[in-house]
Amino acid sequence: MTTTEPINIVVASNNFYAILLGALVKSIELTHKTAEKIDLYIIDDGISKESRENIRASASEEVIRMKWFKSASVIPDNLVKVPSDKSAMPMTTYLRIFAPYILPEGTKRYIYLDVDMILQEDISKLWNSDLGDNMVGAVQDISKTVSNSWAGIPNYKELGMPPETKYFNAGLLVVDQEKWLKEDMTNQVIQCLYDNGPYVNLADQYGLNVVLYQKWKELDPRWNTFANDVIEVPDPFLIHFLDIKPIYRAYNGNKRFGDEFYKCLKLTPWKNHKPIPEYVRISRKTFSKMKKIFFSYLK
């Protein structure tokens, strides 16, 4: 990558988590010190006009150029539809596998980020990661291996994967766009979810780990530091709020990381945000789960 090429970043958000995207955008701006422009491709899964304006105001357009895409428009007609799962994870999470279809023709690489993250290091260093011959760069998940009993790949043996096979977190991906499209990976992930329905764990993260087996490069773990990890990381490059988000009163992650989140948020139009009560969080998770179950019966 050269300093004349923009850094391509893709994110996806619904309206409720737009506030998280505001903090992420601000953190990217604050930590970016090199000359590259940043092109931020936002897959909009129902973000309100007000929230869009707040996100736009969260960073200077001189640093971050935002490009918006409605979620319904990012899925090509020739792709198989994503199967519904019965988890409480919003369907928005699946949108990351459609990222290649919104990028300009000729794009060689992009970074995908979950919105529940903030940067502590210049994104250009991640952008310039050496992937070797691999299709994707990622960080090993908190669950460590495919044989993990509460995450991982429940049917790893049937798929021919050794139990010690490392399992990555899909919240941060550095993707070789050309390889991805050449091997039609989006369709491969979706088909994998259909083929292994009873075993699917953590939505598309399951499919990504299966189809990218032996095709991903392990990155420095500091590029995806989990806020709820019991091991203290003194110098994270990126903080990932995997569990209860810091916008809630019930936030249960590292306090220092939560403070870092609010340092960023206070520099956005959401500067007066007050943590949300626990009953709101629970009701939203329940609604998300019931909505997916309902639509699964309609298919």
Side-chain angles (χ1 to χ4, degrees):
M1 301 299 157
T2 67
T3 56
T4 58
E5 295 180 56
I7 296 173
N8 304 310
I9 303 175
V10 180
V11 296
S13 181
N14 57 25
N15 191 57
F16 191 77
Y17 283 149
I19 184 173
L20 298 177
L21 180 52
L24 171 60
V25 165
K26 175 53 69 176
S27 74
I28 293 172
E29 179 190 47
L30 291 174
T31 54
H32 185 48
K33 307 300 181 185
T34 50
E36 307 97 331
K37 296 290 186 182
I38 295 173
D39 284 343
L40 181 66
Y41 296 81
I42 302 171
I43 303 178
D44 173 358
D45 196 26
I47 301 175
S48 70
K49 180 181 179 182
E50 180 183 5
S51 293
R52 282 169 59 108
E53 291 172 352
N54 286 347
I55 293 166
R56 175 64 276 166
S58 295
S60 167
E61 198 164 358
E62 291 298 310
V63 180
I64 301 178
R65 301 176 293 201
M66 299 185 189
K67 305 170 190 293
W68 298 80
F69 299 84
K70 292 292 185 181
S71 58
S73 71
V74 307
I75 305 174
D77 293 335
N78 64 331
L79 291 181
V80 178
K81 290 185 179 180
V82 175
S84 293
D85 64 67
K86 296 182 180 181
S87 75
M89 298 176 72
M91 289 300 289
T92 309
T93 189
Y94 287 98
L95 292 172
R96 66 179 142 219
I97 64 176
F98 301 106
Y101 302 104
I102 64 173
L103 295 165
E105 187 175 350
T107 298
K108 295 179 179 177
R109 170 180 289 202
Y110 68 90
I111 296 170
Y112 170 81
L113 297 176
D114 276 351
V115 295
D116 57 346
M117 296 175 159
I118 55 170
L119 270 293
Q120 300 280 277
E121 181 58 272
D122 195 328
I123 196 74
S124 65
K125 295 182 179 179
L126 177 64
W127 177 249
N128 288 299
S129 299
D130 181 9
L131 301 184
D133 294 327
N134 297 284
M135 187 179 301
V136 166
V139 171
Q140 188 176 16
D141 189 69
I142 195 170
S143 58
K144 301 301 183 185
T145 65
V146 297
S147 57
N148 180 273
S149 60
W150 51 267
I153 308 294
N155 59 330
Y156 70 90
K157 292 179 182 177
E158 291 81 352
L159 294 171
M161 305 170 81
E164 68 275 10
T165 300
K166 290 185 178 181
Y167 176 86
F168 65 83
N169 181 273
L172 175 143
L173 301 170
V174 182
V175 182
D176 185 314
Q177 166 90 335
E178 294 175 323
K179 284 187 171 69
W180 184 283
L181 292 176
K182 183 178 179 180
E183 296 193 29
D184 194 21
M185 294 303 292
T186 299
N187 264 326
Q188 285 198 47
V189 172
I190 297 172
Q191 191 59 53
C192 173
L193 298 177
Y194 275 109
D195 293 343
N196 299 280
Y199 304 102
V200 172
N201 227 347
L202 301 176
D204 60 313
Q205 184 164 282
Y206 171 97
L208 287 163
N209 270 274
V210 172
V211 302
L212 289 168
Y213 173 51
Q214 297 184 327
K215 293 182 179 179
W216 67 282
K217 168 75 175 292
E218 185 176 4
L219 302 177
D220 188 322
R222 289 175 294 178
W223 279 117
N224 199 346
T225 300
F226 308 118
N228 57 333
D229 197 339
V230 295
I231 301 174
E232 174 75 13
V233 178
D235 57 343
F237 295 163
L238 178 148
I239 299 167
H240 189 178
F241 299 98
L242 268 183
D243 194 10
I244 301 176
K245 314 308 176 191
I247 58 173
Y248 294 110
R249 290 179 189 169
Y251 169 66
N252 59 354
N254 183 294
K255 183 182 183 302
R256 177 168 68 92
F257 294 165
D259 291 343
E260 290 297 324
F261 172 84
Y262 275 96
K263 283 181 184 178
C264 295
L265 193 67
K266 288 183 182 301
L267 298 174
T268 77
W270 282 284
K271 60 185 177 182
N272 295 319
H273 169 79
K274 301 298 182 185
I276 301 166
E278 175 68 353
Y279 74 87
V280 176
R281 185 184 74 85
I282 297 297
S283 64
R284 284 197 59 82
K285 288 178 73 70
T286 302
F287 174 77
S288 179
K289 184 172 184 177
M290 295 305 296
K291 181 179 177 181
K292 287 198 291 185
I293 292 174
F294 173 75
F295 281 111
S296 70
Y297 284 122
L298 293 180
K299 294 187 176 182

